[in-house]
Amino acid sequence: RRHPADFPESLRPAAGGDGAGGAAAAVSLLVGTLDVVLDSSARVAPYRILHQTQDSQVYWAVACGSSRKEITKHWEWLENNLLQTLSIFDNEEDITTFVKGKIHGIIAEENKNQQPQSEEDPGKFKEAELKMRKQFGMPEVEKLVNYYSCSYWKGRVPRQGWLYLTVNHLCFYSFLLGKEVTLVIQWVDVTQLEKNATLLFPECIKVSTRDSELYFSMFLNINETFKLMEQLANIAMRQLLDNESFLEDKSLPKPRKPLKNISALKRDLDARAKNECYRATFRLPKDECLDGHTDCTLWTPFNKMHIPGQMFVSNNYICFASKAEEACHLIIPLREVTIVEKADSSSVLPSPLSISTRSKMTFFFANLKDRDFLVQRISDFLQRTPSKKPSFGTFSKPCSSVCASKCRLFVGLLTEAGGWLSSDVLCLILLLIISVAKEKMKEESWNIHFFEYGRGMCMYRTAKTRELVQKGIPENLRGELWLLFSGAWNEMVTHPGYYADLVEKSMGKYNLATEEIERDLHRSMPEHPAFQNELGIAALRRVLTAYAFRNPTIGYCQAMNIVTSVLLLYCNEEEAFWLLVALCERMLPDYYNTRVVGALVDQGIFEELTREYLPQLSEKMQDLGVISTISLSWFLTLFLSVMPFESAVVIVDCFFYEGIKFILQVSLAILDANMEKLLQCCDEGEAMTILGRYLDNVVNRQSVSPPIPHLHALLTSGDDPPLEIDIFELIKTSYEKFSNLKADDIEQMRFKQRLKVIQSLEDTAKKSVVRAVSGDIGFSIEELEELYVVFKAKYLMSCYWGNNRAAAARRDQSLPYLEQYRIDMEQFKDLFISLTPWSCGTHTPVLAGRLFRLLDENKDSLINFKEFVTGMSKCMIFGLCLSKEQFIELCKTLYNMFSEDPVEQELYHAIATVASLLLRIGEVGKKFSNRPMKKSEDCKTHNTQDPVSEEESPTSEQSQNSAVEQQPQADHEDKTPGDAQPGKTQEENQTLGDGAGEGQGSPLQLLSDDETKDDMSMSSYSMVSTGSLQCEDIADDTVLVGCEGGSSAARYGSTIDTDWSISFEQILASMLTETALVNYFEKKVNILQKIKDQKKVERQFSSSSDYELSSVSG
């Protein structure tokens, strides 16, 4: 049976007719041409077998082939398996039906055998995936996500074809008018994705890499395609950032209705995108998965209205979001739900649903399309939800007692200061009393809000809630509301005892993170009384250390101590810990890793927003280089390190409610307020002074806390008193001018900037690695950079095609860049074969394996980039001394390298001469060694040595010891049946059999190497005088080494000679005497061209066949 790839993927009518008339022929020609132009996914073969009946004008394509030999094989198969059966049918229609069914059956059966039984992908999609793998040479582990018909612009000519989006690659194939175009791009190489509008096409997708810009257009659904490309590129960036490879979600629920031409991976990615949006909208834990959503209305008692929106149901939460932004958001944890019941429907309130909670709140939803199914899903989730009743009692503190304590503390501080005038003290106390009154009014406003909108996680979150947050959260409620708005409360109540266990496990353990924490503990708000004693310091240490053990990828980063110390002022340790988790892992993703990627991403967004909203200032700031300096300190510490504490804490209030959107709009407001001064700045220092002075004087006149000295230097100029800026006015201005920023837009901008930032960091890492190795390597900077790209690409392949290779293990980000990417032997062999100038046919993998073992100094079966380029530039190391065994292996390697070379005979003679000379040098060195010569019981050598001068004799004891110490352990992969076996003793391994024959234990058998066998034999061999190296038939991969005179036994001896050694300098000097060897090793090779060939991903060529399109029609 023929493989289905030999047949058309679906039996379809081919262009043509019965040739009875010119009109039919013209139509056939036209249809055939259109077939080639429009169906670029299948290249038309020059030979085809077509099925046609007498009464039909339609050809059915049965088989195709690229050569006459191939099509003949197809015809023979048809004769043996199909044609004999056709004679039993009575009419032509039955024959056609049978042929079509037979071919379809073969294809379907083979496809079924090649795909896992559990695969959910539809048949048409499986066919496309098989075609993709065959066309681009992808392994089975490379999964196709989706494919689209589109045009790729090759210069000014569009190439209609198919775009295949796989997990790790973007691929395109087109065959148009005899021209073939193939593109393969790794997602990790993509630096920019854009939807562009051009004069020719209103919409196209631009894919940028470091080397090229590619344009694709004429999509049926460009938005879907672009969104999927963004997702796949984002996954690739995550792989570069922390080595997280893509894992398919096997727990996805099966669709209720079969989906046509949508793969399981596509459904997986769609579900991931919806989950991420759902979690970000409602600040839910990272493992929460959306089960479904439906349109509905929610009855809001505070304004007595039915608000239209959507209900979202997941395994632990029921959420609601109104269609009008900020009209109402609602989060109902299932752990809080007590009753779910269906109310009676009416024309006013169709399909109502009532949900009651432990906090005596009842929520009414209506206009539910599939209420029964929804109730069943909620009931299923409720049965799996453990019931836990949270309590907010620990947050409630009497306002009067708190305010009184603040007054007493402030008065005490003033008294201790001394030297104050009574009037000044009275004024300050009066201001404090006014602040306390305002604080009490704010608290009362929140109590009224709780009464109308609810309190706790199930509170209605509306525009009114945001207005209260903008006015500042009362200090008594700050900890509670931070936990609610950030979502940290959900994680804390669902993980009871987690923090205590972490603290216990981390006690007494030390690592790099704990050392950095200890160094920064006393730098965390030292001006605040809470951290001027060991009690506050110890709490801060426990929280930071616990988080470092929870998330070793982040561990500890500077600025975490400042933020955590503020959290501890308003929460207990466990609450501060979960707030830190929410901050680092959800609200500010990747901010606190080793390369502060998240902060750099948002810095890029800030620069982009500055260009959009403050175009006049943007160019000036770029010239001064200020934005990159100020934004990191602003974003990483949420302004806590650059603003007075009482003001910065209000920024934190709004941040926990609004997210990064608020930080960005406040930053824009600060630049806008200082625009005139910044435009007049001459350098970066002057701009920093202006911004620093402005931030130092942002005050909170409503604060009931005593003023805390601000560590940020108070910058003033001249005698003019500083102008104070009220923090609430600044917040109000930021909402008035920049409130049109949308969270969805920011997430979209984050993706764009993440591509740019991570690729920029990769470029920086490449330059660092190249700088570190360039001094010791013979390659140029440009060559090293290209080699690094190829090396990294080979490592990344192991991550997603490696089948659990050691190299694909999670790399340690704390290691230097030079050691983060490592490859194994098989990967090294691939690169060696494609890049080395010393390719030697079938022996190349053997040479590559030996070189890999030489480079792998720590014997972990992996080499880093420095070791790789060392091997590519220097295959030997100066100062190395070789024993006789190692010398024999060197001779084997050289013979293998010279095999199939145009001047191999000259090279064989040259190396035989060199080896003979080196053998004599080694024997002379042994004679003059200080160590006693080992004697053999079986035979003794009576040869006289040639006289040598004192200068020739220094094969010293040191060099012999060096040779013995450096002799590597035998690699089992190189052993053959004749080699010493691991189980034998050292004496057995060293013993050689007597005689010169080919029997057991002979030198010929001991030195054979099955790794390097092939079917080629030398046409001649060189015989040098007695005592020289004798070259035998390479087919047996045998090398005979002789010494002077005597029998074979005398030549070889009966033991491995541990005193015999030669140095690399001796080898080099001997090889330089042979012109053929010098020419061979000094051949210049263009490594850049080899790298280019290795990286080449685009091919365009004419069809190898010489048929004309018109011939296809018939």
Side-chain angles (χ1 to χ4, degrees), residues 791-803:
F791 183 86
K792 187 179 77 170
K794 182 61 69 174
Y795 163 81
L796 291 174
M797 281 187 182
S798 70
C799 294
Y800 45 79
W801 291 350
N803 197 19

Side-chain angles (χ1 to χ4, degrees), residues 406 409-410 413 416 524-537 565 569 645-646 705-709:
K406 297 285 185 183
L409 176 60
F410 195 26
L413 289 173
E416 291 178 5
S524 308
M525 295 189 68
E527 68 278 6
H528 197 285
F531 299 100
Q532 293 174 354
N533 57 73
E534 186 56 33
L535 186 63
I537 294 295
S565 60
L569 293 177
F645 170 76
E646 300 82 9
S705 301
I708 298 174

Side-chain angles (χ1 to χ4, degrees), residues 3 200 407 469 472 914 950 1067:
H3 191 277
L200 292 176
C407 290
V469 172
V914 169
E950 293 181 2
I1067 296 173

